[in-house]
Amino acid sequence: MIAYIPNSLIVFVQNFDCHNHSIFSDGLLRPRELVELAKKTGCDAVALTDHDNTGGLAEAETAAAELHIRFIRGVELSVTWPAKSSVAVAATADLNPITIHVVGLGIDPLDATLVAGIASIRDGRLERARQMGAHLAHMGIEGVFEDALALAENKDMIGRTHFARAMVTRGLATSVGAVFGKFLTPGKPGFVAHQWASLGDAIGWITGAGGVAVLAHPGRYKLSKQEMRQLLTEFKQAGGQAIEVITGSHEKHQYREYAALAREFDFMASRGSDFHGHGESRFQPGTLPPLPDDLVPVWTVLQ
Ligand code: AMP
Ligand code: MN
Ligand code: MN
Ligand code: MN
């Protein structure tokens, strides 16, 4: 990728995309197909960061070696924050727990503590999905759990995206995003609250496995400015080193907002499309703008 920086030379910026999904969680492509796409769209490096799962890494890594594209082993962990142990609970007692995502980059997927940790996050997914199906059935929408389960290639990893796809097929909304807005977000009838990992545990599993912990799409969390600062403070204290600045989940004004917070908190910055599939994602791998040139890209510390 070529970026033009005013008053300086044209510089070559490496095109890294550090956040993507495959059928091993809620993506639509096989790991190999994702890597092929990233090659086609001009990525120099691509990460596979499936939710709570590292099952697709070996296939992606093999494909990347064949295609001469750099591969980054990743994962995206589901976290409930504030966790019960968090100081923020006392500080903001009325704050509802929210789900946040922490991306781990450069992890060793065989690390025993990481393996056990992500297995423990996955454990409740199927039961949560059954409850979602029961809630929807209660309002007269029958059989969505069964449809969603059929769509989930990896049954352990059934999630809201599979429900959303099943519900689009039934004509209950026109897009996956619209199903989320109508049925699957907090306060909506198909939403079931769930306890994921604590922030400290998730970051500990990632760093213990040799990885770098990156706060995923911070602009997506419904937090006040003060709560966001509390989250960033706790994230840093627990060993988090980077935040996503340029992500498919941010609007342009949020690129600036989170670049400023990365500077303020001295975080490295990450860039990733959060690609799930054609027709569902706003950006293909490697097609987002580059990181602001004064920020330190997270990949500078990856092997
Ligand atoms: P789950 O882990 O089952 O709670 O599902 C989380 C996934 O749902 C995220 O990783 C996104 O892929 C997807 N998702 C969450 N919110 C939305 C939304 N508003 N529109 C579309 N997809 C969403
Ligand atoms: Mn997802
Ligand atoms: Mn996410
Ligand atoms: Mn993601």
Side-chain angles (χ1 to χ4, degrees):
M1 180 197 289
I2 298 172
Y4 178 72
I5 297 165
N7 305 321
S8 77
L9 298 170
I10 289 174
V11 292
F12 289 90
V13 177
Q14 285 188 300
N15 188 352
F16 276 56
D17 193 308
C18 297
H19 191 152
N20 294 282
H21 295 272
S22 78
I23 55 167
F24 279 82
S25 61
D26 58 357
L28 289 169
L29 299 183
R30 287 205 61 88
R32 167 174 288 278
E33 293 170 324
L34 171 74
V35 173
E36 287 167 355
L37 177 63
K39 177 79 182 176
K40 212 169 79 188
T41 55
C43 291
D44 296 305
V46 63
L48 178 63
T49 55
D50 275 313
H51 300 285
D52 309 327
N53 190 289
T54 56
L57 295 181
E59 177 181 323
E61 194 160 355
T62 302
E66 287 169 19
L67 293 169
H68 306 291
I69 176 173
R70 183 169 161 191
F71 181 67
I72 298 164
R73 297 169 180 168
V75 69
E76 182 176 19
L77 300 184
S78 309
V79 164
T80 300
W81 185 83
K84 288 196 176 68
S85 62
S86 167
V87 290
V89 175
T92 54
D94 57 342
L95 184 65
N96 289 324
I98 62 162
T99 298
I100 66 163
H101 287 167
V102 179
V103 164
L105 298 175
I107 51 158
D108 170 6
L110 300 179
D111 179 86
T113 310
L114 175 70
V115 169
I118 61 180
S120 75
I121 308 182
R122 271 202 306 269
D123 267 354
R125 265 195 187 266
L126 202 55
E127 182 48 34
R128 168 201 189 222
R130 277 202 190 89
Q131 287 178 27
M132 287 169 61
H135 281 214
L136 292 167
H138 192 68
M139 60 180 293
I141 308 172
E142 307 271 351
V144 183
F145 167 70
E146 289 74 11
D147 290 4
L149 192 62
L151 289 179
E153 300 265 348
N154 191 356
K155 306 298 175 201
D156 280 356
M157 282 305 304
I158 184 171
R160 288 185 290 161
T161 309
H162 304 109
F163 276 74
R165 288 178 188 143
M167 291 167 82
V168 169
T169 304
R170 287 177 178 221
L172 289 160
T174 52
S175 69
V176 163
V179 179
F180 270 89
K182 267 167 97 168
F183 298 101
L184 300 180
T185 45
K188 298 295 157 64
F191 181 78
V192 171
H194 194 74
Q195 185 75 34
W196 305 107
S198 73
L199 184 62
D201 281 352
I203 294 172
W205 297 335
I206 290 167
T207 55
V212 179
V214 183
L215 184 65
H217 41 62
R220 246 176 50 188
Y221 311 131
K222 297 201 168 24
L223 297 173
S224 67
K225 285 200 158 65
Q226 188 196 343
E227 288 162 350
M228 177 54 69
R229 284 199 152 72
Q230 179 68 31
L231 172 59
L232 293 174
T233 302
E234 288 186 30
F235 183 74
K236 184 149 195 154
Q237 277 167 359
Q241 288 185 269
I243 66 172
E244 288 185 345
V245 171
I246 307 289
T247 141
S249 296
H250 282 174
E251 300 301 331
K252 277 195 184 133
H253 70 91
Q254 292 175 315
Y255 298 164
R256 286 192 292 278
E257 200 178 316
Y258 289 95
L261 284 167
R263 289 180 196 110
E264 180 184 329
F265 282 83
D266 200 18
F267 281 125
M268 291 181 288
S270 190
R271 168 183 184 260
S273 54
D274 205 356
F275 182 80
H276 283 70
H278 298 293
E280 279 189 14
S281 298
R282 290 164 69 206
F283 294 92
Q284 300 216 73
T287 63
L288 285 160
L291 289 172
D293 68 320
D294 67 311
L295 296 180
V296 180
V298 64
W299 50 85
T300 57
V301 296
L302 299 176
Q303 299 293 334

